[in-house]
Amino acid sequence: MSIVLVVEDSLAQRQMISDLLKGSGLKVAVASDGVEALEHIQKSSPPDLVVLDIVMPRMNGYEVCRRLKNDPKTQNVPVVMCSSKGEEFDRYWGMKQGADAYIAKPFQPTELIGTVKQLLRG
């Protein structure tokens, strides 16, 4: 079973995304900011995919994505940026940091699930 790490500082959003993913048969781990996400990945094996918010305290999603993509241990882990920053530039910048997909909030549940499942299939 695939494990998805949800990195989101808003408890409500984190819960909603986690419930959606669990509902589609995935295991979910959570982190409330970028620092916690990187610590989680260092302690356990890398997740199969990361759903990453951008605007968070301590370390933003762009920085987390860069670090994941520059680390040989996690460079092949797909990253889905999921942010309220929905401008074309935000999307461009997210992809430039190495994100595999970019979903703007608010999103349709089917968009998130479809994107996640597609990336997990490779």
Side-chain angles (χ1 to χ4, degrees):
M1 185 185 283
S2 298
I3 298 175
V4 177
L5 176 62
V6 175
V7 188
E8 168 65 68
D9 60 326
S10 153
L11 178 62
Q13 292 272 341
R14 196 166 61 235
Q15 195 64 56
M16 184 199 61
I17 293 169
S18 296
D19 289 348
L20 273 173
L21 295 170
K22 286 177 188 166
S24 69
L26 299 163
K27 284 182 82 165
V28 176
V30 294
S32 57
D33 64 40
V35 173
E36 191 182 314
L38 293 176
E39 286 169 354
H40 174 84
I41 290 168
Q42 248 117 51
K43 281 188 199 123
S44 52
S45 56
D48 298 299
L49 183 138
V50 177
V51 174
L52 188 58
D53 186 22
I54 294 174
V55 183
M56 299 182 289
R58 298 204 296 169
M59 185 187 298
N60 70 38
Y62 293 136
E63 177 66 20
V64 174
C65 188
R66 265 197 310 273
R67 290 189 184 200
L68 291 174
K69 294 302 183 176
N70 287 328
D71 182 341
K73 195 175 107 174
T74 54
Q75 66 187 9
N76 296 322
V77 174
V79 173
V80 177
M81 289 202 154
C82 187
S83 177
S84 53
K85 293 170 75 71
E87 298 299 315
E88 200 48 50
F89 176 77
D90 300 312
R91 184 180 301 270
Y92 165 81
W93 192 243
M95 300 310 268
K96 196 117 173 86
Q97 307 312 308
D100 298 271
Y102 193 105
I103 296 175
K105 295 175 190 165
F107 55 84
Q108 292 298 317
T110 51
E111 181 187 8
L112 177 68
I113 299 300
T115 302
V116 166
K117 294 266 186 178
Q118 188 180 350
L119 287 168
L120 286 172
R121 278 196 298 272

